[in-house]
Every structure is written in structure tokens, then in C-alpha cells.
Amino acid sequence: MAHQTITALYDDYDAASTAVTRLEAAGVSHGDISVVSNNEGDRHAGRIGTGDHADTAHKAETAAGTGASLGTVVGGATGLLTGLGLLAIPGVGPVVAAGWLVATLTGAGIGAAAGGLVGALTGAGISETDAHTYNEGIRRGGTLVTVRADEAHANTVMDILEEHGSVDVGERSNSWRSEGWSGPALTASDPAGPTPTNGLPPNAGGRPGVRTYPARPL
């Protein structure tokens, strides 16, 4: 059965966390969900497990280093969001993150986000244009939810993600460009519409709040 990587960007962390909770309640394993959220000003300090939050945040803000906190970042036994850990990502700054994407961000646990968020996202099958848009969205304060799903569950996942206020990333990236953002423009290899549909569920198109991509093995 074909699998997809499904993405949604949120302006509000609480909306994203509610979507994640709904996904888990619907039977999606927290091992198939990932969250990356801007942590400027240590705004998520009360949500992070162990580790020196302030020191890692300072390193991110001063470009003195990158890495993951000592918290469990792949998801606790009671749900993904209990496993939030702190990362410092070059070009983005301090974030909190949990889930399968974290292993890619941290070099499979060695603590260096060498490829950055764009590299982790493109490695998971997301188009380079969209990866840069998500990177910018997080840098500007947003939260990205990324889900791996098979065809049987893809529509349920997309419904839940949209119901909680995911943003239209095409519209948002156009707005940023009009303000001077220099992110890469759409290319011939990128989807022409809001969601690429080859090999994906029949009603995957026409969903501006989510995007889907053929999943790549990690």
C-alpha cells in the first residue's frame, strides 16, 4: 500500500497540538507524526522535558551551536507531545520538536542539525520549494506537523489537520515574497496546485491547508 507524507503549517501551537491529539485518538501512531515549532523567547519552556532549555536556546540565538536537548524527542508512551525536546536549527533558531523527523534533523541522534530543516524535509520527500516555505514559516513563529500515512488513513489525516486551522502555504509564501522574502519560486518539478495528486487519494487535491507527497523511506 502506498504511503504519503502529509504536511500542515499552523500559526498557533495550541491548534497544532490539538490536531496531533486528534490524530492519535483516531489511531495514528505517534511514531508516524512529527512536530517542529518555533521556540523564540523560550515560549515552550513549560512543555519541554529534561535538558538545559535556556543554554540551548542561547546557543541557537547566537549561532554558537546546534543540537538536541536531553529530553526524549521521539514521543513518550502517553503521546507524541510528552516527548518534546529542544533543538537549535541554523537559519531558524531555537525550536521544540518531537517525532520521526527529529532523527533526520539531529543526524540520527548525534546532536547536530547538519542538514537543517530544509534538508530533513526534502529527504522525507517534500518538494524543495515547500521545504523552504515551511522553514520560513517556522522561523516566523509557526508550527509544522508532518504525518506519514497509508492510503487508507490519508483522508482522515488531512481532514483533521485542516479542521484545526492549518494555513494555505501557497498563499502565505506569495505574501512573504511580496514583502521581500527571497524563497525559491515554484519550478517545473514542483506541484502545480496546492497538493500533488499522482498516486494519492482521489480527493487529495483542492486542499489548500495540507500538502501530500509520496513518502520516502528514512
Side-chain angles (χ1 to χ4, degrees), residues 134-175:
Y134 291 132
N135 188 83
E136 181 68 6
I138 295 170
R139 189 188 72 80
R140 291 176 180 245
T143 299
L144 177 66
V145 177
T146 310
V147 185
R148 299 180 299 195
D150 58 31
E151 289 178 348
H153 298 93
N155 286 321
T156 297
V157 169
M158 290 187 284
D159 287 342
I160 291 172
L161 293 173
E162 285 192 311
E163 285 170 6
H164 294 281
S166 56
V167 305
D168 182 335
V169 293
E171 181 180 272
R172 188 62 58 87
S173 64
N174 288 337
S175 174

PDB file of all heavy atoms in Angstrom, residues 134-175:
ATOM      1  N   TYR A 134       8.112  26.000   4.530  1.00  0.00           N
ATOM      2  CA  TYR A 134       7.909  25.528   5.898  1.00  0.00           C
ATOM      3  C   TYR A 134       9.017  26.025   6.820  1.00  0.00           C
ATOM      4  O   TYR A 134       8.765  26.405   7.978  1.00  0.00           O
ATOM      5  CB  TYR A 134       7.833  24.005   5.935  1.00  0.00           C
ATOM      6  CG  TYR A 134       6.597  23.446   5.288  1.00  0.00           C
ATOM      7  CD1 TYR A 134       6.667  22.405   4.365  1.00  0.00           C
ATOM      8  CD2 TYR A 134       5.339  23.962   5.597  1.00  0.00           C
ATOM      9  CE1 TYR A 134       5.516  21.894   3.776  1.00  0.00           C
ATOM     10  CE2 TYR A 134       4.198  23.458   5.008  1.00  0.00           C
ATOM     11  CZ  TYR A 134       4.294  22.423   4.091  1.00  0.00           C
ATOM     12  OH  TYR A 134       3.159  21.920   3.504  1.00  0.00           O
ATOM     13  N   ASN A 135      10.248  26.022   6.325  1.00  0.00           N
ATOM     14  CA  ASN A 135      11.375  26.537   7.093  1.00  0.00           C
ATOM     15  C   ASN A 135      11.130  27.995   7.490  1.00  0.00           C
ATOM     16  O   ASN A 135      11.320  28.391   8.648  1.00  0.00           O
ATOM     17  CB  ASN A 135      12.649  26.415   6.255  1.00  0.00           C
ATOM     18  CG  ASN A 135      13.906  26.752   7.026  1.00  0.00           C
ATOM     19  OD1 ASN A 135      14.452  25.931   7.740  1.00  0.00           O
ATOM     20  ND2 ASN A 135      14.401  27.981   6.850  1.00  0.00           N
ATOM     21  N   GLU A 136      10.675  28.790   6.527  1.00  0.00           N
ATOM     22  CA  GLU A 136      10.390  30.202   6.788  1.00  0.00           C
ATOM     23  C   GLU A 136       9.202  30.362   7.731  1.00  0.00           C
ATOM     24  O   GLU A 136       9.192  31.240   8.602  1.00  0.00           O
ATOM     25  CB  GLU A 136      10.131  30.934   5.469  1.00  0.00           C
ATOM     26  CG  GLU A 136       9.843  32.422   5.593  1.00  0.00           C
ATOM     27  CD  GLU A 136      11.041  33.249   6.055  1.00  0.00           C
ATOM     28  OE1 GLU A 136      12.160  32.675   6.182  1.00  0.00           O
ATOM     29  OE2 GLU A 136      10.873  34.456   6.287  1.00  0.00           O
ATOM     30  N   GLY A 137       8.193  29.510   7.546  1.00  0.00           N
ATOM     31  CA  GLY A 137       7.028  29.574   8.417  1.00  0.00           C
ATOM     32  C   GLY A 137       7.380  29.329   9.869  1.00  0.00           C
ATOM     33  O   GLY A 137       6.884  30.019  10.772  1.00  0.00           O
ATOM     34  N   ILE A 138       8.250  28.356  10.112  1.00  0.00           N
ATOM     35  CA  ILE A 138       8.683  28.084  11.487  1.00  0.00           C
ATOM     36  C   ILE A 138       9.550  29.230  11.995  1.00  0.00           C
ATOM     37  O   ILE A 138       9.407  29.672  13.139  1.00  0.00           O
ATOM     38  CB  ILE A 138       9.427  26.738  11.556  1.00  0.00           C
ATOM     39  CG1 ILE A 138       8.459  25.600  11.216  1.00  0.00           C
ATOM     40  CG2 ILE A 138      10.044  26.535  12.935  1.00  0.00           C
ATOM     41  CD1 ILE A 138       9.142  24.273  11.017  1.00  0.00           C
ATOM     42  N   ARG A 139      10.437  29.741  11.138  1.00  0.00           N
ATOM     43  CA  ARG A 139      11.281  30.864  11.558  1.00  0.00           C
ATOM     44  C   ARG A 139      10.435  32.058  11.995  1.00  0.00           C
ATOM     45  O   ARG A 139      10.792  32.790  12.917  1.00  0.00           O
ATOM     46  CB  ARG A 139      12.208  31.272  10.411  1.00  0.00           C
ATOM     47  CG  ARG A 139      13.284  32.284  10.806  1.00  0.00           C
ATOM     48  CD  ARG A 139      14.050  32.790   9.605  1.00  0.00           C
ATOM     49  NE  ARG A 139      13.239  33.678   8.787  1.00  0.00           N
ATOM     50  CZ  ARG A 139      13.014  34.967   9.065  1.00  0.00           C
ATOM     51  NH1 ARG A 139      13.527  35.513  10.151  1.00  0.00           N
ATOM     52  NH2 ARG A 139      12.279  35.701   8.258  1.00  0.00           N
ATOM     53  N   ARG A 140       9.281  32.235  11.343  1.00  0.00           N
ATOM     54  CA  ARG A 140       8.399  33.358  11.647  1.00  0.00           C
ATOM     55  C   ARG A 140       7.438  33.071  12.801  1.00  0.00           C
ATOM     56  O   ARG A 140       6.540  33.864  13.063  1.00  0.00           O
ATOM     57  CB  ARG A 140       7.607  33.742  10.399  1.00  0.00           C
ATOM     58  CG  ARG A 140       8.441  34.373   9.292  1.00  0.00           C
ATOM     59  CD  ARG A 140       7.606  34.645   8.056  1.00  0.00           C
ATOM     60  NE  ARG A 140       8.389  35.242   6.984  1.00  0.00           N
ATOM     61  CZ  ARG A 140       8.205  36.479   6.498  1.00  0.00           C
ATOM     62  NH1 ARG A 140       7.249  37.244   6.991  1.00  0.00           N
ATOM     63  NH2 ARG A 140       8.959  36.929   5.513  1.00  0.00           N
ATOM     64  N   GLY A 141       7.605  31.932  13.448  1.00  0.00           N
ATOM     65  CA  GLY A 141       6.807  31.664  14.643  1.00  0.00           C
ATOM     66  C   GLY A 141       5.819  30.529  14.528  1.00  0.00           C
ATOM     67  O   GLY A 141       5.058  30.272  15.460  1.00  0.00           O
ATOM     68  N   GLY A 142       5.807  29.811  13.402  1.00  0.00           N
ATOM     69  CA  GLY A 142       4.813  28.774  13.173  1.00  0.00           C
ATOM     70  C   GLY A 142       5.184  27.405  13.702  1.00  0.00           C
ATOM     71  O   GLY A 142       6.258  27.190  14.278  1.00  0.00           O
ATOM     72  N   THR A 143       4.262  26.475  13.500  1.00  0.00           N
ATOM     73  CA  THR A 143       4.421  25.084  13.915  1.00  0.00           C
ATOM     74  C   THR A 143       4.093  24.180  12.732  1.00  0.00           C
ATOM     75  O   THR A 143       3.046  24.333  12.104  1.00  0.00           O
ATOM     76  CB  THR A 143       3.480  24.742  15.077  1.00  0.00           C
ATOM     77  OG1 THR A 143       3.795  25.574  16.200  1.00  0.00           O
ATOM     78  CG2 THR A 143       3.612  23.276  15.486  1.00  0.00           C
ATOM     79  N   LEU A 144       4.981  23.248  12.429  1.00  0.00           N
ATOM     80  CA  LEU A 144       4.784  22.312  11.328  1.00  0.00           C
ATOM     81  C   LEU A 144       4.455  20.927  11.871  1.00  0.00           C
ATOM     82  O   LEU A 144       5.175  20.398  12.720  1.00  0.00           O
ATOM     83  CB  LEU A 144       6.042  22.231  10.463  1.00  0.00           C
ATOM     84  CG  LEU A 144       6.011  21.229   9.302  1.00  0.00           C
ATOM     85  CD1 LEU A 144       4.977  21.638   8.257  1.00  0.00           C
ATOM     86  CD2 LEU A 144       7.398  21.092   8.670  1.00  0.00           C
ATOM     87  N   VAL A 145       3.363  20.343  11.371  1.00  0.00           N
ATOM     88  CA  VAL A 145       3.007  18.965  11.686  1.00  0.00           C
ATOM     89  C   VAL A 145       3.208  18.135  10.420  1.00  0.00           C
ATOM     90  O   VAL A 145       2.714  18.501   9.347  1.00  0.00           O
ATOM     91  CB  VAL A 145       1.549  18.853  12.171  1.00  0.00           C
ATOM     92  CG1 VAL A 145       1.179  17.387  12.433  1.00  0.00           C
ATOM     93  CG2 VAL A 145       1.328  19.682  13.427  1.00  0.00           C
ATOM     94  N   THR A 146       3.938  17.040  10.541  1.00  0.00           N
ATOM     95  CA  THR A 146       4.237  16.168   9.412  1.00  0.00           C
ATOM     96  C   THR A 146       3.830  14.749   9.772  1.00  0.00           C
ATOM     97  O   THR A 146       4.225  14.239  10.827  1.00  0.00           O
ATOM     98  CB  THR A 146       5.738  16.203   9.070  1.00  0.00           C
ATOM     99  OG1 THR A 146       6.167  17.558   8.969  1.00  0.00           O
ATOM    100  CG2 THR A 146       6.020  15.501   7.752  1.00  0.00           C
ATOM    101  N   VAL A 147       3.034  14.117   8.908  1.00  0.00           N
ATOM    102  CA  VAL A 147       2.468  12.802   9.210  1.00  0.00           C
ATOM    103  C   VAL A 147       2.768  11.835   8.080  1.00  0.00           C
ATOM    104  O   VAL A 147       2.638  12.181   6.897  1.00  0.00           O
ATOM    105  CB  VAL A 147       0.931  12.885   9.403  1.00  0.00           C
ATOM    106  CG1 VAL A 147       0.369  11.538   9.831  1.00  0.00           C
ATOM    107  CG2 VAL A 147       0.571  13.967  10.420  1.00  0.00           C
ATOM    108  N   ARG A 148       3.151  10.621   8.432  1.00  0.00           N
ATOM    109  CA  ARG A 148       3.266   9.536   7.456  1.00  0.00           C
ATOM    110  C   ARG A 148       2.000   8.695   7.541  1.00  0.00           C
ATOM    111  O   ARG A 148       1.613   8.262   8.630  1.00  0.00           O
ATOM    112  CB  ARG A 148       4.489   8.671   7.750  1.00  0.00           C
ATOM    113  CG  ARG A 148       5.805   9.419   7.677  1.00  0.00           C
ATOM    114  CD  ARG A 148       6.990   8.536   7.963  1.00  0.00           C
ATOM    115  NE  ARG A 148       6.942   7.959   9.309  1.00  0.00           N
ATOM    116  CZ  ARG A 148       7.978   7.394   9.912  1.00  0.00           C
ATOM    117  NH1 ARG A 148       9.143   7.340   9.305  1.00  0.00           N
ATOM    118  NH2 ARG A 148       7.859   6.882  11.121  1.00  0.00           N
ATOM    119  N   ALA A 149       1.347   8.485   6.398  1.00  0.00           N
ATOM    120  CA  ALA A 149       0.068   7.753   6.412  1.00  0.00           C
ATOM    121  C   ALA A 149      -0.068   6.909   5.157  1.00  0.00           C
ATOM    122  O   ALA A 149       0.436   7.273   4.089  1.00  0.00           O
ATOM    123  CB  ALA A 149      -1.104   8.737   6.502  1.00  0.00           C
ATOM    124  N   ASP A 150      -0.774   5.784   5.285  1.00  0.00           N
ATOM    125  CA  ASP A 150      -1.078   4.993   4.105  1.00  0.00           C
ATOM    126  C   ASP A 150      -2.370   5.507   3.473  1.00  0.00           C
ATOM    127  O   ASP A 150      -3.031   6.398   4.010  1.00  0.00           O
ATOM    128  CB  ASP A 150      -1.170   3.499   4.448  1.00  0.00           C
ATOM    129  CG  ASP A 150      -2.221   3.198   5.509  1.00  0.00           C
ATOM    130  OD1 ASP A 150      -3.247   3.916   5.576  1.00  0.00           O
ATOM    131  OD2 ASP A 150      -2.034   2.234   6.274  1.00  0.00           O
ATOM    132  N   GLU A 151      -2.716   4.941   2.327  1.00  0.00           N
ATOM    133  CA  GLU A 151      -3.883   5.426   1.586  1.00  0.00           C
ATOM    134  C   GLU A 151      -5.170   5.313   2.401  1.00  0.00           C
ATOM    135  O   GLU A 151      -6.061   6.156   2.292  1.00  0.00           O
ATOM    136  CB  GLU A 151      -4.027   4.641   0.284  1.00  0.00           C
ATOM    137  CG  GLU A 151      -2.957   4.959  -0.752  1.00  0.00           C
ATOM    138  CD  GLU A 151      -3.119   4.126  -2.005  1.00  0.00           C
ATOM    139  OE1 GLU A 151      -3.917   3.155  -1.982  1.00  0.00           O
ATOM    140  OE2 GLU A 151      -2.460   4.423  -3.009  1.00  0.00           O
ATOM    141  N   ALA A 152      -5.261   4.282   3.234  1.00  0.00           N
ATOM    142  CA  ALA A 152      -6.491   4.058   3.995  1.00  0.00           C
ATOM    143  C   ALA A 152      -6.746   5.149   5.026  1.00  0.00           C
ATOM    144  O   ALA A 152      -7.891   5.390   5.410  1.00  0.00           O
ATOM    145  CB  ALA A 152      -6.436   2.693   4.678  1.00  0.00           C
ATOM    146  N   HIS A 153      -5.672   5.814   5.489  1.00  0.00           N
ATOM    147  CA  HIS A 153      -5.820   6.802   6.551  1.00  0.00           C
ATOM    148  C   HIS A 153      -5.532   8.235   6.096  1.00  0.00           C
ATOM    149  O   HIS A 153      -5.735   9.179   6.866  1.00  0.00           O
ATOM    150  CB  HIS A 153      -4.883   6.461   7.722  1.00  0.00           C
ATOM    151  CG  HIS A 153      -5.181   5.143   8.368  1.00  0.00           C
ATOM    152  ND1 HIS A 153      -4.549   3.969   7.999  1.00  0.00           N
ATOM    153  CD2 HIS A 153      -6.058   4.802   9.340  1.00  0.00           C
ATOM    154  CE1 HIS A 153      -5.019   2.965   8.731  1.00  0.00           C
ATOM    155  NE2 HIS A 153      -5.933   3.437   9.547  1.00  0.00           N
ATOM    156  N   ALA A 154      -5.074   8.392   4.859  1.00  0.00           N
ATOM    157  CA  ALA A 154      -4.633   9.718   4.407  1.00  0.00           C
ATOM    158  C   ALA A 154      -5.737  10.759   4.472  1.00  0.00           C
ATOM    159  O   ALA A 154      -5.513  11.891   4.925  1.00  0.00           O
ATOM    160  CB  ALA A 154      -4.064   9.626   2.991  1.00  0.00           C
ATOM    161  N   ASN A 155      -6.935  10.417   4.026  1.00  0.00           N
ATOM    162  CA  ASN A 155      -8.015  11.407   4.017  1.00  0.00           C
ATOM    163  C   ASN A 155      -8.419  11.814   5.433  1.00  0.00           C
ATOM    164  O   ASN A 155      -8.705  12.986   5.697  1.00  0.00           O
ATOM    165  CB  ASN A 155      -9.227  10.873   3.254  1.00  0.00           C
ATOM    166  CG  ASN A 155      -9.000  10.868   1.755  1.00  0.00           C
ATOM    167  OD1 ASN A 155      -8.410  11.788   1.210  1.00  0.00           O
ATOM    168  ND2 ASN A 155      -9.455   9.816   1.098  1.00  0.00           N
ATOM    169  N   THR A 156      -8.431  10.857   6.364  1.00  0.00           N
ATOM    170  CA  THR A 156      -8.731  11.175   7.757  1.00  0.00           C
ATOM    171  C   THR A 156      -7.694  12.121   8.318  1.00  0.00           C
ATOM    172  O   THR A 156      -8.015  13.108   9.005  1.00  0.00           O
ATOM    173  CB  THR A 156      -8.786   9.895   8.607  1.00  0.00           C
ATOM    174  OG1 THR A 156      -9.849   9.066   8.143  1.00  0.00           O
ATOM    175  CG2 THR A 156      -9.008  10.221  10.079  1.00  0.00           C
ATOM    176  N   VAL A 157      -6.427  11.845   8.033  1.00  0.00           N
ATOM    177  CA  VAL A 157      -5.340  12.710   8.498  1.00  0.00           C
ATOM    178  C   VAL A 157      -5.508  14.121   7.946  1.00  0.00           C
ATOM    179  O   VAL A 157      -5.421  15.117   8.686  1.00  0.00           O
ATOM    180  CB  VAL A 157      -3.974  12.126   8.084  1.00  0.00           C
ATOM    181  CG1 VAL A 157      -2.857  13.147   8.315  1.00  0.00           C
ATOM    182  CG2 VAL A 157      -3.683  10.846   8.856  1.00  0.00           C
ATOM    183  N   MET A 158      -5.769  14.243   6.653  1.00  0.00           N
ATOM    184  CA  MET A 158      -5.911  15.566   6.050  1.00  0.00           C
ATOM    185  C   MET A 158      -7.117  16.312   6.608  1.00  0.00           C
ATOM    186  O   MET A 158      -7.046  17.527   6.853  1.00  0.00           O
ATOM    187  CB  MET A 158      -5.990  15.442   4.527  1.00  0.00           C
ATOM    188  CG  MET A 158      -4.671  15.036   3.891  1.00  0.00           C
ATOM    189  SD  MET A 158      -4.694  15.079   2.073  1.00  0.00           S
ATOM    190  CE  MET A 158      -5.614  13.582   1.712  1.00  0.00           C
ATOM    191  N   ASP A 159      -8.222  15.585   6.834  1.00  0.00           N
ATOM    192  CA  ASP A 159      -9.410  16.216   7.423  1.00  0.00           C
ATOM    193  C   ASP A 159      -9.084  16.824   8.779  1.00  0.00           C
ATOM    194  O   ASP A 159      -9.433  17.977   9.073  1.00  0.00           O
ATOM    195  CB  ASP A 159     -10.534  15.197   7.590  1.00  0.00           C
ATOM    196  CG  ASP A 159     -11.192  14.798   6.272  1.00  0.00           C
ATOM    197  OD1 ASP A 159     -11.029  15.536   5.276  1.00  0.00           O
ATOM    198  OD2 ASP A 159     -11.871  13.749   6.251  1.00  0.00           O
ATOM    199  N   ILE A 160      -8.416  16.052   9.626  1.00  0.00           N
ATOM    200  CA  ILE A 160      -8.100  16.516  10.979  1.00  0.00           C
ATOM    201  C   ILE A 160      -7.158  17.711  10.934  1.00  0.00           C
ATOM    202  O   ILE A 160      -7.354  18.708  11.643  1.00  0.00           O
ATOM    203  CB  ILE A 160      -7.493  15.373  11.811  1.00  0.00           C
ATOM    204  CG1 ILE A 160      -8.561  14.305  12.104  1.00  0.00           C
ATOM    205  CG2 ILE A 160      -6.887  15.897  13.118  1.00  0.00           C
ATOM    206  CD1 ILE A 160      -8.019  13.045  12.747  1.00  0.00           C
ATOM    207  N   LEU A 161      -6.136  17.640  10.100  1.00  0.00           N
ATOM    208  CA  LEU A 161      -5.178  18.740  10.019  1.00  0.00           C
ATOM    209  C   LEU A 161      -5.849  20.033   9.573  1.00  0.00           C
ATOM    210  O   LEU A 161      -5.574  21.114  10.120  1.00  0.00           O
ATOM    211  CB  LEU A 161      -4.035  18.376   9.068  1.00  0.00           C
ATOM    212  CG  LEU A 161      -3.104  17.247   9.532  1.00  0.00           C
ATOM    213  CD1 LEU A 161      -2.131  16.886   8.427  1.00  0.00           C
ATOM    214  CD2 LEU A 161      -2.355  17.651  10.798  1.00  0.00           C
ATOM    215  N   GLU A 162      -6.752  19.940   8.605  1.00  0.00           N
ATOM    216  CA  GLU A 162      -7.428  21.136   8.109  1.00  0.00           C
ATOM    217  C   GLU A 162      -8.435  21.691   9.115  1.00  0.00           C
ATOM    218  O   GLU A 162      -8.619  22.912   9.215  1.00  0.00           O
ATOM    219  CB  GLU A 162      -8.131  20.839   6.794  1.00  0.00           C
ATOM    220  CG  GLU A 162      -7.206  20.736   5.597  1.00  0.00           C
ATOM    221  CD  GLU A 162      -7.954  20.737   4.287  1.00  0.00           C
ATOM    222  OE1 GLU A 162      -8.922  19.957   4.154  1.00  0.00           O
ATOM    223  OE2 GLU A 162      -7.580  21.513   3.393  1.00  0.00           O
ATOM    224  N   GLU A 163      -9.086  20.806   9.844  1.00  0.00           N
ATOM    225  CA  GLU A 163     -10.120  21.241  10.792  1.00  0.00           C
ATOM    226  C   GLU A 163      -9.581  22.150  11.889  1.00  0.00           C
ATOM    227  O   GLU A 163     -10.347  22.888  12.514  1.00  0.00           O
ATOM    228  CB  GLU A 163     -10.780  20.017  11.445  1.00  0.00           C
ATOM    229  CG  GLU A 163     -11.737  19.278  10.527  1.00  0.00           C
ATOM    230  CD  GLU A 163     -12.176  17.946  11.121  1.00  0.00           C
ATOM    231  OE1 GLU A 163     -11.814  17.674  12.296  1.00  0.00           O
ATOM    232  OE2 GLU A 163     -12.854  17.186  10.420  1.00  0.00           O
ATOM    233  N   HIS A 164      -8.275  22.122  12.099  1.00  0.00           N
ATOM    234  CA  HIS A 164      -7.704  22.894  13.203  1.00  0.00           C
ATOM    235  C   HIS A 164      -6.913  24.116  12.733  1.00  0.00           C
ATOM    236  O   HIS A 164      -6.049  24.621  13.448  1.00  0.00           O
ATOM    237  CB  HIS A 164      -6.883  21.974  14.099  1.00  0.00           C
ATOM    238  CG  HIS A 164      -7.740  20.963  14.799  1.00  0.00           C
ATOM    239  ND1 HIS A 164      -8.489  21.273  15.913  1.00  0.00           N
ATOM    240  CD2 HIS A 164      -8.035  19.669  14.503  1.00  0.00           C
ATOM    241  CE1 HIS A 164      -9.174  20.220  16.292  1.00  0.00           C
ATOM    242  NE2 HIS A 164      -8.921  19.232  15.441  1.00  0.00           N
ATOM    243  N   GLY A 165      -7.229  24.589  11.533  1.00  0.00           N
ATOM    244  CA  GLY A 165      -6.719  25.901  11.114  1.00  0.00           C
ATOM    245  C   GLY A 165      -5.370  25.921  10.447  1.00  0.00           C
ATOM    246  O   GLY A 165      -4.645  26.930  10.559  1.00  0.00           O
ATOM    247  N   SER A 166      -4.996  24.856   9.742  1.00  0.00           N
ATOM    248  CA  SER A 166      -3.743  24.889   9.004  1.00  0.00           C
ATOM    249  C   SER A 166      -3.802  25.982   7.939  1.00  0.00           C
ATOM    250  O   SER A 166      -4.857  26.269   7.374  1.00  0.00           O
ATOM    251  CB  SER A 166      -3.465  23.527   8.362  1.00  0.00           C
ATOM    252  OG  SER A 166      -4.554  23.128   7.540  1.00  0.00           O
ATOM    253  N   VAL A 167      -2.655  26.597   7.657  1.00  0.00           N
ATOM    254  CA  VAL A 167      -2.629  27.741   6.750  1.00  0.00           C
ATOM    255  C   VAL A 167      -2.436  27.290   5.301  1.00  0.00           C
ATOM    256  O   VAL A 167      -1.928  26.199   5.030  1.00  0.00           O
ATOM    257  CB  VAL A 167      -1.517  28.736   7.133  1.00  0.00           C
ATOM    258  CG1 VAL A 167      -1.648  29.175   8.581  1.00  0.00           C
ATOM    259  CG2 VAL A 167      -0.127  28.151   6.875  1.00  0.00           C
ATOM    260  N   ASP A 168      -2.850  28.144   4.375  1.00  0.00           N
ATOM    261  CA  ASP A 168      -2.627  27.933   2.947  1.00  0.00           C
ATOM    262  C   ASP A 168      -1.188  28.356   2.663  1.00  0.00           C
ATOM    263  O   ASP A 168      -0.879  29.552   2.588  1.00  0.00           O
ATOM    264  CB  ASP A 168      -3.621  28.773   2.141  1.00  0.00           C
ATOM    265  CG  ASP A 168      -3.493  28.571   0.634  1.00  0.00           C
ATOM    266  OD1 ASP A 168      -2.406  28.190   0.166  1.00  0.00           O
ATOM    267  OD2 ASP A 168      -4.487  28.838  -0.076  1.00  0.00           O
ATOM    268  N   VAL A 169      -0.281  27.385   2.513  1.00  0.00           N
ATOM    269  CA  VAL A 169       1.136  27.728   2.383  1.00  0.00           C
ATOM    270  C   VAL A 169       1.442  28.401   1.048  1.00  0.00           C
ATOM    271  O   VAL A 169       2.384  29.196   0.959  1.00  0.00           O
ATOM    272  CB  VAL A 169       2.045  26.495   2.590  1.00  0.00           C
ATOM    273  CG1 VAL A 169       1.970  26.013   4.019  1.00  0.00           C
ATOM    274  CG2 VAL A 169       1.717  25.380   1.619  1.00  0.00           C
ATOM    275  N   GLY A 170       0.656  28.094   0.007  1.00  0.00           N
ATOM    276  CA  GLY A 170       0.864  28.775  -1.267  1.00  0.00           C
ATOM    277  C   GLY A 170       0.557  30.254  -1.144  1.00  0.00           C
ATOM    278  O   GLY A 170       1.336  31.120  -1.574  1.00  0.00           O
ATOM    279  N   GLU A 171      -0.562  30.558  -0.531  1.00  0.00           N
ATOM    280  CA  GLU A 171      -0.952  31.951  -0.313  1.00  0.00           C
ATOM    281  C   GLU A 171       0.028  32.653   0.612  1.00  0.00           C
ATOM    282  O   GLU A 171       0.418  33.807   0.386  1.00  0.00           O
ATOM    283  CB  GLU A 171      -2.358  31.986   0.280  1.00  0.00           C
ATOM    284  CG  GLU A 171      -2.911  33.373   0.531  1.00  0.00           C
ATOM    285  CD  GLU A 171      -4.312  33.294   1.114  1.00  0.00           C
ATOM    286  OE1 GLU A 171      -5.283  33.243   0.336  1.00  0.00           O
ATOM    287  OE2 GLU A 171      -4.429  33.263   2.368  1.00  0.00           O
ATOM    288  N   ARG A 172       0.461  31.947   1.656  1.00  0.00           N
ATOM    289  CA  ARG A 172       1.376  32.549   2.629  1.00  0.00           C
ATOM    290  C   ARG A 172       2.733  32.849   1.985  1.00  0.00           C
ATOM    291  O   ARG A 172       3.302  33.926   2.203  1.00  0.00           O
ATOM    292  CB  ARG A 172       1.543  31.601   3.815  1.00  0.00           C
ATOM    293  CG  ARG A 172       2.314  32.167   4.980  1.00  0.00           C
ATOM    294  CD  ARG A 172       1.622  33.389   5.607  1.00  0.00           C
ATOM    295  NE  ARG A 172       0.279  33.100   6.066  1.00  0.00           N
ATOM    296  CZ  ARG A 172      -0.006  32.622   7.279  1.00  0.00           C
ATOM    297  NH1 ARG A 172       0.960  32.350   8.134  1.00  0.00           N
ATOM    298  NH2 ARG A 172      -1.276  32.433   7.629  1.00  0.00           N
ATOM    299  N   SER A 173       3.249  31.913   1.185  1.00  0.00           N
ATOM    300  CA  SER A 173       4.555  32.148   0.564  1.00  0.00           C
ATOM    301  C   SER A 173       4.492  33.301  -0.432  1.00  0.00           C
ATOM    302  O   SER A 173       5.435  34.097  -0.537  1.00  0.00           O
ATOM    303  CB  SER A 173       5.068  30.876  -0.120  1.00  0.00           C
ATOM    304  OG  SER A 173       4.233  30.493  -1.195  1.00  0.00           O
ATOM    305  N   ASN A 174       3.375  33.425  -1.149  1.00  0.00           N
ATOM    306  CA  ASN A 174       3.216  34.559  -2.071  1.00  0.00           C
ATOM    307  C   ASN A 174       3.203  35.878  -1.314  1.00  0.00           C
ATOM    308  O   ASN A 174       3.764  36.882  -1.769  1.00  0.00           O
ATOM    309  CB  ASN A 174       1.933  34.405  -2.886  1.00  0.00           C
ATOM    310  CG  ASN A 174       2.029  33.315  -3.935  1.00  0.00           C
ATOM    311  OD1 ASN A 174       3.131  32.960  -4.365  1.00  0.00           O
ATOM    312  ND2 ASN A 174       0.892  32.772  -4.337  1.00  0.00           N
ATOM    313  N   SER A 175       2.552  35.879  -0.157  1.00  0.00           N
ATOM    314  CA  SER A 175       2.511  37.084   0.664  1.00  0.00           C
ATOM    315  C   SER A 175       3.913  37.458   1.144  1.00  0.00           C
ATOM    316  O   SER A 175       4.295  38.641   1.115  1.00  0.00           O
ATOM    317  CB  SER A 175       1.581  36.861   1.863  1.00  0.00           C
ATOM    318  OG  SER A 175       1.612  37.950   2.754  1.00  0.00           O
TER     319      SER A 175
END
